[in-house]
Amino acid sequence: MSNVTREAALELLKKYNTEEFHLKHAYTVEGTMRYFAEKLGYGDDADFWATVGLLHDIDFGQFPEEHCLKAPELLKEIGASDELVHAVVSHGYGLCCDVEPVHQMEKILFATDELTGLIGACALMRPSKSVQDMEASSVKKKFKDKRFAAGCSRDVIRQGAEMLGWEMDKLFEETILAMRTCEVL
């Protein structure tokens, strides 16, 4: 399904994103997407899902004002398929572009992108600094505090859960489990 190797994707990611924070987020979303592909019965497409996760913010590091708009041009450098480009761009739906998430994978990316940031911020507040011992109730509490990790849009997270037809608790629990499989400390 994916015509892009991880090596090519990683090289492109690092060409346009140099901040450790952005790279760590990319690795987290990559692993989260792989987890969901396998969990939801799309194991044969897990590499594709992971590649989309890895590259979802390809343009954010150098072109934050053109986020999701500059991505197609950058992704052409590695011969990304139209499907990969659509998936990457769709996570900015309603925020910075009008490309709607259609496939299950795109909806997962939309729902979990901001949430991985919130969960990561919650983890940093824990003595362990890890998601390994985190419960959904901790995230739920911080989710309600709009001042905590204020850059993580609660509206996007809610909208993502609605797109998937999931309760917020399920989205929190599953995303924590996903992040446990790929935690980058």
Side-chain angles (χ1 to χ4, degrees):
M1 194 174 219
S2 179
N3 61 328
V4 174
T5 65
R6 184 176 193 278
E7 293 73 28
L10 195 54
E11 188 176 322
L12 188 70
L13 177 70
K14 289 181 175 181
K15 178 178 178 181
Y16 291 105
N17 293 271
T18 55
E19 288 185 34
E20 189 60 34
F21 176 82
H22 290 141
L23 294 173
K24 185 177 174 182
H25 175 65
Y27 302 143
T28 298
V29 177
E30 173 190 32
T32 297
M33 292 300 291
R34 179 176 299 285
Y35 169 90
F36 278 110
E38 292 167 358
K39 169 91 180 188
L40 299 175
Y42 297 93
D44 291 346
D45 298 327
D47 288 343
F48 180 73
W49 285 45
T51 300
V52 170
L54 185 65
L55 293 173
H56 80 284
D57 281 344
I58 187 65
D59 56 6
F60 192 79
Q62 289 188 19
F63 309 99
E65 281 78 41
E66 297 177 79
H67 185 40
C68 294
L69 304 175
K70 190 81 170 165
E73 176 187 331
L74 304 183
L75 292 168
K76 280 183 187 169
E77 292 181 32
I78 55 172
S81 66
D82 291 343
E83 185 180 21
L84 192 147
V85 172
H86 186 278
V88 163
V89 173
S90 72
H91 88 279
Y93 179 65
L95 303 166
C96 52
C97 75
D98 60 359
V99 178
E100 188 171 357
V102 177
H103 301 290
Q104 180 82 349
M105 178 261 299
E106 295 168 341
K107 293 174 184 179
I108 293 284
L109 177 62
F110 185 90
T112 61
D113 177 31
E114 294 286 313
L115 184 54
T116 60
L118 179 68
I119 293 170
C122 289
L124 292 176
M125 303 300 292
R126 304 180 67 74
S128 67
K129 307 260 187 253
S130 172
V131 295
Q132 299 303 324
D133 58 354
M134 182 180 294
E135 297 299 325
S137 57
S138 300
V139 177
K140 201 173 181 178
K141 194 165 129 183
K142 294 294 189 185
F143 182 85
K144 292 175 184 175
D145 179 357
K146 304 245 188 292
R147 293 168 300 162
F148 180 80
C152 297
S153 171
R154 275 59 169 177
D155 290 339
V156 168
I157 296 167
R158 276 190 212 92
Q159 187 181 355
E162 287 173 20
M163 272 184 201
L164 290 166
W166 292 4
E167 296 295 321
M168 293 293 288
D169 286 350
K170 177 180 179 178
L171 181 61
F172 289 166
E173 289 166 12
E174 289 295 332
T175 305
I176 290 168
L177 291 174
M179 289 175 68
R180 284 181 185 166
T181 68
C182 61
E183 187 166 42
V184 182
L185 295 174

